[in-house]
């Protein structure tokens, strides 16, 4: 059964939390990042962008030891505090007063990733795993929980609802209009109950953070081999995780943008699409798919609906039935000549919050020639693919919530 345990977080002091917490580094544009670095000396971005202190861009392995230095400086200056006893943290995120996510921040055992008790649905790139594993070994902390989902659980819901009635340790709102709340669960009885309830579950599903978890497992495996007294309980064996009921996940799609039609004319392209899709030209009428196996397409100033033909609905497995795989199998690979979805520069992805209007805008300015809109997949599809040991194509799901860096930090 998956193992979950409390941990002693390093975290911002109450008066600094709204200043420290940041989005992941890569989610900012260069201008946004520089504005925060220029005007907020407490931003976690200063830690993960250590060269800013010298007005020099430093990345890759050269930056790792400097990241560690910046982190130690933040602690020395009192921006971070160390928890006195192990806790489990209840974290609630409210997006624009419409979406609400409530989950537990705790540590999951890296070995459960190897044993398939934490199931995955995405492939990882080994070079990225290796690099991030080196990073973790140098800095010896993790500031971004992976996102793990579990079946709805009445007992855990009741415990969370009771805790929410208390005053939170943190309450802050971001410029993205996200309000974050954090409660400390530090009494032994509640911790033991939460750990026991989680450990009674047969499996978890990793919703987001596949590279981070894989890197943490790789590091744990290496450190275990280097430690003659390894027991499995050392901090390096555990991965900070945000555990959330599966009914609370918000799963959005990634739309596709293609730079050219692979040498085909518009008419030739439509004729080839007609082999496997019912096509309707919707002109200027904005179209977004409303069910599985339906796609939207924007081409030459017009919207189209594409419905997969009934002859193609006999699927061999859960991956073959996935819309992202269908688009790849029937369009991207055979017609547009895109084999490698990760590295081909002719394809780009736009997460679903940007809608088809973003796709239309990029095609209209001729940055791309055609765009495809997807219907988001369901949690059941993710779980089935994970259960069957299959892997989704890259950029199939954009899953909310996205956590802020630096709210809780796991040192090891």
């Amino acid at each position: 059964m998956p193992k979950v345990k409390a941990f002693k977080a390093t975290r911002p002091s109450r008066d600094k939390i709204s200043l420290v917490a940041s989005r992941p580094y890569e989610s900012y544009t260069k201008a946004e990042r520089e504005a925060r670095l220029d005007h907020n000396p407490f931003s976690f971005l200063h830690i993960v962008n250590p060269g800013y202190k010298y007005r020099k861009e430093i990345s890759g392995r050269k930056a790792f030891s400097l990241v560690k230095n910046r982190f130690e400086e933040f602690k020395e200056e009192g921006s971070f505090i160390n928890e006195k006893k192990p806790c489990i943290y209840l974290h609630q995120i409210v997006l624009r007063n419409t979406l609400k996510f409530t989950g537990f921040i705790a540590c999951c055992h890296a070995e459960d990733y190897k044993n398939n008790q934490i199931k995955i649905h995405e492939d990882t790139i080994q070079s990225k795993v290796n690099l991030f594993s080196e990073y973790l070994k140098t800095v010896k902390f993790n500031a971004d929980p992976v996102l793990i989902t579990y079946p709805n659980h009445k007992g855990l819901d009741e415990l969370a609802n009771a805790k929410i009635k208390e005053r939170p340790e943190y309450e802050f709102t971001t410029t993205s209009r996200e309000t974050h709340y954090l409660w400390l669960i530090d009494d032994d009885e509640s911790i033991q109950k939460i750990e026991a309830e989680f450990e009674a579950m047969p499996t978890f599903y990793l919703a987001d953070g596949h590279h981070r978890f894989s890197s943490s497992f790789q590091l744990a495996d290496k450190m275990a081999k280097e430690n003659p007294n390894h027991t499995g309980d050392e901090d390096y064996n555990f991965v900070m995780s945000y555990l959330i009921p599966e009914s609370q996940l918000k799963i959005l799609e990634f739309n596709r943008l293609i730079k050219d039609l692979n040498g085909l004319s518009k008419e030739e392209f439509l004729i080839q699409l007609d082999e496997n899709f019912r096509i309707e030209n919707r002109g200027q009428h904005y179209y977004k798919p409303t069910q599985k196996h339906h796609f939207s397409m924007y081409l030459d100033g017009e919207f189209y609906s594409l419905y997969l033909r009934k002859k193609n609905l006999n699927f061999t497995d859960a991956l073959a039935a996935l819309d992202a795989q269908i688009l790849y199998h029937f369009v991207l690979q055979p017609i547009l000549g895109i084999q490698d979805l990760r590295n081909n520069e002719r394809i780009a992805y736009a997460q679903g919050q940007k809608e088809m209007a973003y796709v239309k805008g990029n095609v209209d300015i001729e940055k791309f020639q055609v765009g495809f809109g997807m219907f988001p997949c369901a949690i059941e599809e993710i779980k089935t693919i994970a259960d069957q040991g299959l892997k989704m194509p890259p950029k199939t799901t954009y899953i909310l919530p996205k956590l802020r860096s630096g709210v809780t930090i796991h040192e090891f």
Side-chain angles (χ1 to χ4, degrees):
M1 304 302 173
K3 186 174 183 179
V4 171
K5 79 165 192 172
F7 69 107
K8 295 180 182 179
T10 300
R11 55 184 179 84
S13 57
R14 187 197 291 261
D15 63 315
K16 299 291 196 310
I17 179 60
S18 63
L19 298 170
V20 172
S22 72
R23 300 202 313 266
Y25 178 85
E26 64 277 2
S27 71
Y28 293 97
T29 66
K30 183 178 180 181
E32 288 175 330
R33 195 161 53 238
E34 289 180 351
R36 283 158 176 78
L37 289 166
D38 284 342
H39 301 293
N40 180 5
F42 300 105
S43 173
F44 194 78
L45 291 174
H46 283 280
I47 293 176
V48 293
N49 189 23
Y52 175 82
K53 184 176 182 179
Y54 306 107
R55 295 291 177 174
K56 182 175 177 61
E57 190 72 28
I58 304 174
S59 59
R61 293 175 175 85
K62 293 181 179 178
F64 295 172
S65 60
L66 292 179
V67 169
K68 177 67 172 175
N69 290 346
R70 296 294 168 274
F71 179 57
E72 294 300 328
E73 289 169 6
F74 266 58
K75 289 197 293 183
E76 291 166 4
E77 293 166 358
S79 296
F80 287 120
I81 60 174
N82 297 105
E83 212 71 78
K84 291 183 171 59
K85 63 173 296 187
C87 298
I88 291 176
Y89 303 86
L90 183 67
H91 190 178
Q92 185 176 84
I93 306 168
V94 182
L95 303 185
R96 296 176 180 266
N97 296 317
T98 56
L99 291 175
K100 184 182 292 184
F101 309 97
T102 307
F104 299 94
I105 297 178
C107 281
C108 292
H109 205 289
E111 194 71 14
D112 291 330
Y113 176 87
K114 176 184 177 181
N115 296 335
N116 205 33
Q117 290 180 320
I118 297 176
K119 295 190 176 183
I120 63 174
H121 63 269
E122 290 183 4
D123 267 330
T124 54
I125 300 171
Q126 192 57 45
S127 59
K128 289 180 65 176
V129 170
N130 293 343
L131 185 64
F132 195 66
S133 183
E134 286 183 47
Y135 169 83
L136 292 175
K137 186 174 183 181
T138 302
V139 303
K140 290 185 168 53
F141 70 82
N142 190 348
D144 299 283
V146 299
L147 183 62
I148 286 178
T149 190
Y150 61 90
N152 295 345
H153 190 285
K154 182 179 179 181
L156 290 171
D157 288 346
E158 289 175 347
L159 195 150
N161 290 335
K163 192 67 181 178
I164 285 170
K165 296 177 182 178
E166 301 176 11
R167 183 195 179 202
E169 175 70 9
Y170 295 153
E171 179 180 356
F172 66 97
T173 300
T174 71
T175 55
S176 303
R177 297 184 182 178
E178 301 174 1
T179 301
H180 293 250
Y181 305 89
L182 188 84
W183 293 265
L184 276 60
I185 301 174
D186 57 4
D187 65 286
D188 293 340
E189 182 179 352
S190 294
I191 289 174
Q192 290 168 9
K193 181 178 180 181
I194 293 170
E195 291 175 346
E197 295 288 8
F198 277 129
E199 290 175 30
M201 298 178 186
T203 55
F204 295 151
Y205 291 86
L206 184 56
D208 195 17
H210 286 71
H211 281 90
R212 282 176 282 142
F213 209 118
S214 182
S215 299
S216 295
F217 168 73
Q218 182 170 291
L219 177 61
D221 186 57
K222 182 176 181 179
M223 294 183 74
K225 292 174 181 176
E226 294 174 352
N227 182 3
N229 300 313
H230 173 78
T231 65
D233 292 325
E234 295 87 355
D235 284 336
Y236 59 72
N237 293 289
F238 292 88
V239 182
M240 185 171 63
S241 307
Y242 185 46
L243 299 112
I244 188 170
E246 60 188 40
S247 64
Q248 290 192 31
L249 289 181
K250 177 67 173 177
I251 304 173
L252 301 174
E253 70 281 7
F254 269 101
N255 297 320
R256 273 76 170 133
L257 288 151
I258 314 299
K259 289 188 175 180
D260 59 72
L261 297 183
N262 197 28
L264 300 172
S265 69
K266 172 184 172 181
E267 291 73 21
E268 290 170 335
F269 177 57
L270 291 171
I271 289 170
Q272 291 202 34
L273 284 178
D274 191 82
E275 172 68 22
N276 293 298
F277 297 90
R278 286 178 50 205
I279 305 173
E280 181 179 344
N281 186 329
R282 295 176 178 258
Q284 296 298 310
H285 180 68
Y286 180 89
Y287 174 71
K288 181 178 180 179
T290 57
Q291 65 183 70
K292 279 176 60 63
H293 312 328
H294 289 189
F295 305 83
S296 61
M297 181 175 74
Y298 187 74
L299 172 67
D300 194 25
E302 295 178 312
F303 284 97
Y304 294 79
S305 59
L306 309 180
Y307 299 164
L308 187 66
R309 293 193 180 277
K310 291 182 179 180
K311 68 177 183 178
N312 297 318
L313 295 177
N314 297 317
F315 303 113
T316 55
D317 55 35
L319 179 60
L322 191 70
D323 281 351
Q325 183 67 15
I326 288 169
L327 189 70
Y328 175 70
H329 179 73
F330 289 111
V331 182
L332 301 182
Q333 183 185 43
I335 301 176
L336 295 176
I338 295 175
Q339 305 290 332
D340 186 347
L341 293 172
R342 290 189 186 277
N343 300 307
N344 194 311
E345 294 182 353
R346 294 171 54 225
I347 186 170
Y349 302 90
Q351 51 96 346
Q353 285 178 315
K354 295 182 176 180
E355 295 282 354
M356 280 299 290
Y358 177 85
V359 173
K360 177 183 183 300
N362 276 274
V363 174
D364 284 345
I365 64 174
E366 300 183 353
K367 186 176 180 180
F368 297 90
Q369 193 165 353
V370 63
F372 297 94
M374 316 288 290
F375 185 72
C377 70
I379 183 63
E380 290 76 17
E381 292 181 89
I382 293 175
K383 292 171 64 177
T384 301
I385 284 174
D387 289 342
Q388 294 180 3
L390 303 170
K391 302 295 184 294
M392 289 182 170
K395 302 296 184 182
T396 296
T397 58
Y398 183 83
I399 298 180
L400 299 175
K402 300 293 185 186
L403 277 74
R404 295 266 155 167
S405 299
V407 176
T408 55
I409 298 171
H410 176 229
E411 294 192 72
F412 49 87

